[in-house]
Amino acid sequence: MMEHVMKRDLIVIGGGLGGCMAALASAKMGFHVVLTEETDWLGGQLTSQAVPPDEHPWIERFGCTASYREFRDRVRAYYQANYPLTEDAKGNKLLNPGNGWVSRLCHEPKVAKRVLEDMMAPYIHSGRIRVLYQYRPVAAASDQDQVTSVTVESLVSGERHVLQGQYFIDATECGDVLPLAGVEFVMGAEGKSTTLEPHASEEANPLDMQAFTYVFALDYLEGEDHTIDKPENYEFWRDFVPRSSRFPLLSWYANDADDTTEFREFTLFPNDRGLMPLWTYRRIIDTSIFDTPLYDSDISLINWPQNDYFLGPIYGVPEDVRQHHIEQAKQLSLSVVYWLQTEAPRLDGGKGYPGLRLRKDVLDTTDGLAKHPYIRESRRIQAVHTITEHHVSKEIRGEQGIYRVDDSVGVGSYHLDLHLTTVTNRTFYIPTYPYEIPLGALLPIRVKNLLPACKNIGMTQITNGCYRLHPTEWNIGESVGYLAAFCMLHQISPHEVHADDAQLKAYQALLSKQGIEMHWPEHLEI
């Protein structure tokens, strides 16, 4: 197959939130960018992975970049301009289209995709950003400490492009460029003796990674029967009891976030028994906000403990093993659908909700599952500065409060949320202080012109649990895009920016001008 050489200022591999924002930031600064994406949708977590934004309590006032706030405002404006809403919903500045309780902005993946495309449209239409859809990285070349090219291959035609640029950004969901380019990285669980973190694994194991999930969308038409064909592996999943649990995975019991050594009972719909309803957890359409009938039913995205797949990883393993776990994860999610329709215990004593309907159209796929699995954990660069549990844990920091850094390039906040891991089956949900994003965590220890823009920054498996969420990934990608642009403008390396106080302050001034917050308020009530 012929390889075509394509040269741009910046090469961004991966079209999730971090990749999109890195490309957009550099394009705004006048540079030309190639952006590749493995699926046919930009947006990653919000779109092709179908996960509404997980955010912190202050998100409506501060604690995110100006462009992320613009995105949130545009989502609400899109519904208010185009959907037949009630007067209350039209006038609600804090509209939550799904009224889901995981987020203040539960909305349809297709709306997120549309808004992201609109934000990027001027730079795509003008040619500043060239998007290659359905391409994955397959090779890279380096010269000493510089990456010189990344080769990507079409998943449709097999055509290859050799992408050459001044800077390269790995914004893939699994840090796929790192091993190809020879960038030093870690993956899976570090050992406690290395990180000294209280919750680190006793022994390092690179294949002990967090669960990933194939999300799907359901609505509910009571009295109808939309039962799918029984999945091939249904009996296995119906009877499967994780070794960390006394309950089947397909049950209404899951680890309690307040104490993950205990289990909590859930149910499907809101009820008068005090059980937490999972239906409204990630609901993206609440029909009560419309003044005319539009949707047949509420719609909910199913990303629950029941469809977390933790029997094996999908990177760092041979391709046949990867494909096996991908297929098994899909079987698990389809088995959850079938279990909900046929055998899930109801509060009235019956079993199953046959009126649940798999909404393939919501995610634009033939099997009804998201276009891409929701990836919680990636390969992570060995960085100039590695973020550890000691920097964020409330228990460890105590009265020291927020860990503030002079080289901050952004802020975020979320619990240390570790889903069941593939080997040790560890899980926890640890309170944290709001955190800052150190520039040193974005710099590989050796390679000078490749930067991370996703869940692959210099952090541990533990701190990945809070740095992996939507607003933080967006912030990381945006700051990295401006960093590449700053370096190209001034003919200076990212490491030199970090080491030179004057250059660091100039770069941070650029970030501030672009609406990126770098520190939390001094007297934040936590």
Side-chain angles (χ1 to χ4, degrees):
M1 182 68 67
M2 179 74 71
E3 290 186 344
H4 307 281
V5 175
M6 188 180 298
K7 297 181 179 181
R8 294 293 189 277
D9 300 310
L10 178 67
I11 309 301
V12 181
I13 308 297
L17 296 180
C20 286
M21 290 309 105
L24 184 58
S26 284
K28 286 179 178 179
M29 296 293 289
F31 292 98
H32 288 82
V33 183
V34 170
L35 172 65
T36 71
E37 164 53 30
E38 195 170 324
T39 72
D40 58 352
W41 280 14
L42 293 175
Q45 293 188 67
L46 280 174
T47 61
S48 61
Q49 298 177 39
V51 182
D54 289 291
E55 300 170 330
H56 55 69
W58 309 279
I59 196 69
E60 303 293 355
R61 294 176 289 148
F62 51 79
C64 66
T65 75
S67 64
Y68 185 76
R69 191 168 306 284
E70 178 188 351
F71 167 81
R72 299 176 88 256
D73 290 344
R74 282 182 178 234
V75 168
R76 287 171 169 150
Y78 187 89
Y79 280 95
Q80 290 167 331
N82 298 298
Y83 284 61
L85 305 182
T86 64
E87 288 303 314
D88 284 345
K90 282 182 182 177
N92 186 357
K93 293 181 179 179
L94 301 180
L95 177 68
N96 187 346
N99 285 315
W101 48 271
V102 73
S103 171
R104 292 168 174 79
L105 195 63
C106 283
H107 60 285
E108 297 158 285
K110 285 183 177 179
V111 171
K113 173 178 175 286
R114 176 63 180 269
V115 170
L116 277 170
E117 289 173 344
D118 285 350
M119 292 176 72
M120 298 177 71
Y123 304 94
I124 292 175
H125 296 168
S126 66
R128 285 270 184 89
I129 298 174
R130 167 84 182 274
V131 182
L132 299 179
Y133 287 102
Q134 294 182 280
Y135 274 81
R136 64 185 180 93
V138 294
S142 300
D143 181 6
Q144 297 183 346
D145 296 338
Q146 299 280 332
V147 177
T148 56
S149 70
V150 174
T151 301
V152 294
E153 181 179 79
S154 170
L155 296 169
V156 178
S157 67
E159 182 180 40
R160 289 191 171 195
H161 292 288
V162 179
L163 307 178
Q164 299 176 349
Q166 294 186 59
Y167 280 87
F168 297 83
I169 290 176
D170 184 347
T172 61
E173 297 299 326
C174 300
D176 293 331
V177 181
L178 303 181
L180 296 175
V183 181
E184 291 80 2
F185 67 90
V186 296
M187 65 183 193
E190 300 95 343
K192 191 170 291 187
S193 62
T194 300
T195 68
L196 305 179
E197 296 169 302
H199 289 88
S201 182
E202 290 299 326
E203 301 290 338
N205 189 330
L207 296 182
D208 191 17
M209 305 174 192
Q210 287 187 74
F212 67 93
T213 304
Y214 267 100
V215 181
F216 54 91
L218 295 176
D219 64 4
Y220 182 60
L221 305 176
E222 190 170 7
E224 298 186 13
D225 188 347
H226 295 279
T227 304
I228 64 172
D229 294 337
K230 185 167 73 170
E232 182 180 345
N233 292 350
Y234 177 68
E235 278 80 9
F236 171 82
W237 288 113
R238 181 195 60 196
D239 300 334
F240 177 70
V241 179
R243 69 169 187 251
S244 58
S245 174
R246 62 183 185 276
F247 301 103
L249 182 61
L250 301 193
S251 73
W252 289 125
Y253 292 88
N255 294 96
D256 190 336
D258 294 329
D259 179 358
T260 54
T261 65
E262 299 294 330
F263 290 83
R264 182 174 185 176
E265 184 179 2
F266 297 86
T267 191
L268 185 57
F269 294 122
N271 59 90
D272 57 6
R273 299 191 191 179
L275 296 177
M276 189 71 77
L278 289 175
W279 181 253
T280 51
Y281 178 43
R282 295 184 183 274
R283 183 174 60 186
I284 54 169
I285 286 295
D286 176 1
T287 55
S288 71
I289 72 171
F290 303 110
D291 70 351
T292 58
L294 184 64
Y295 289 83
D296 294 333
S297 145
D298 293 354
I299 300 175
S300 188
L301 292 172
I302 310 306
N303 174 14
W304 301 345
Q306 288 88 336
N307 59 327
D308 272 4
Y309 181 85
F310 51 88
L311 295 194
I314 55 172
Y315 58 92
V317 293
E319 181 61 23
D320 61 332
V321 176
R322 175 183 177 273
Q323 290 297 337
H324 169 77
H325 291 308
I326 288 284
E327 180 56 34
Q328 286 301 304
K330 290 181 176 181
Q331 282 286 309
L332 170 57
S333 285
L334 292 172
S335 293
V336 172
V337 177
Y338 190 77
W339 175 77
L340 286 169
Q341 293 172 326
T342 62
E343 295 194 66
R346 301 196 310 258
L347 293 182
D348 65 4
K351 288 186 176 183
Y353 300 86
L356 289 171
R357 179 171 59 174
L358 187 61
R359 288 291 301 266
K360 300 178 181 182
D361 57 317
V362 171
L363 303 179
D364 191 30
T365 57
T366 56
D367 60 7
L369 306 180
K371 291 175 178 289
H372 195 280
Y374 174 39
I375 306 292
R376 296 182 175 86
E377 184 179 316
S378 170
R379 300 177 181 92
R380 307 176 294 279
I381 63 167
Q382 290 187 26
V384 169
H385 176 94
T386 300
I387 304 158
T388 71
E389 187 178 352
H390 301 87
H391 297 132
V392 293
S393 168
K394 275 190 175 181
E395 181 181 356
I396 295 175
R397 292 197 58 76
E399 294 183 1
Q400 297 177 86
I402 296 172
Y403 177 68
R404 300 179 186 273
V405 293
D406 292 336
D407 64 338
S408 177
V409 298
V411 298
S413 184
Y414 202 73
H415 281 66
L416 288 168
D417 180 16
L418 195 80
H419 285 235
L420 281 169
T421 61
T422 52
V423 177
T424 59
N425 288 174
R426 292 175 300 133
T427 180
F428 45 74
Y429 194 76
I430 303 169
T432 61
Y433 282 112
Y435 50 80
E436 299 179 351
I437 305 168
L439 174 58
L442 310 182
L443 305 179
I445 56 173
R446 180 183 56 84
V447 177
K448 299 298 190 288
N449 70 333
L450 182 140
L451 298 165
C454 200
K455 296 174 284 289
N456 53 350
I457 68 171
M459 57 187 172
T460 64
Q461 182 182 58
I462 306 298
T463 50
N464 161 269
C466 61
Y467 275 77
R468 64 179 170 80
L469 283 309
H470 307 62
T472 303
E473 182 187 330
W474 183 296
N475 192 152
I476 290 168
E478 191 169 1
S479 295
V480 162
Y482 284 121
L483 177 60
F486 182 88
C487 290
M488 288 187 284
L489 280 171
H490 298 284
Q491 292 299 295
I492 187 173
S493 76
H495 292 76
E496 289 171 322
V497 173
H498 187 248
D500 186 306
D501 190 58
Q503 295 289 357
L504 175 60
K505 284 183 167 53
Y507 165 56
Q508 289 175 320
L510 169 63
L511 296 184
S512 182
K513 182 179 179 181
Q514 299 297 332
I516 294 175
E517 300 173 18
M518 282 163 283
H519 301 288
W520 288 95
E522 283 295 329
H523 304 291
L524 183 67
E525 291 187 13
I526 302 172

